[in-house]
Amino acid sequence: YVRSEFGAAGRWYQDLVARPDGAVHIKGRRVPVRAVPANDPATIALVSDLFRAKYGRHRASTEAMVQPMTLETTLRLDPA
């Protein structure tokens, strides 16, 4: 799952929504993915909880990723 820190105004988010086929790079390897909107409340809440668990509940960068304007930009990256 990914989320745009800048909400729907984020450039990479706009590009990925317009063209959902993309790639992530992991340890020098390109992995093709397809972005799928994750807009059900249970998934959005789970992703927010996972952000907080991974990055720390009280960090400003974590809180930026769980603001209302970012929640609507939650995307699931499926292998393509």
Side-chain angles (χ1 to χ4, degrees):
Y1 290 93
V2 294
R3 230 178 233 170
S4 172
E5 178 182 4
F6 301 108
R11 172 73 189 268
W12 69 263
Y13 174 79
Q14 292 176 4
D15 290 346
L16 196 54
V17 169
R19 291 174 298 286
D21 292 317
V24 294
H25 296 266
I26 303 168
K27 296 183 180 181
R29 200 177 104 209
R30 183 181 185 276
V31 179
V33 297
R34 181 162 185 85
V36 178
N39 47 21
D40 64 281
T43 299
I44 290 171
L46 174 64
V47 172
S48 294
D49 290 344
L50 292 171
F51 268 114
R52 288 181 177 115
K54 182 173 183 178
Y55 298 111
R57 189 166 285 278
H58 300 291
R59 292 176 55 189
S61 58
T62 302
E63 289 309 305
M65 296 306 291
V66 296
Q67 294 301 307
M69 75 175 216
T70 67
L71 302 181
E72 67 187 30
T73 68
T74 305
L75 299 172
R76 184 181 73 235
L77 301 181
D78 291 340

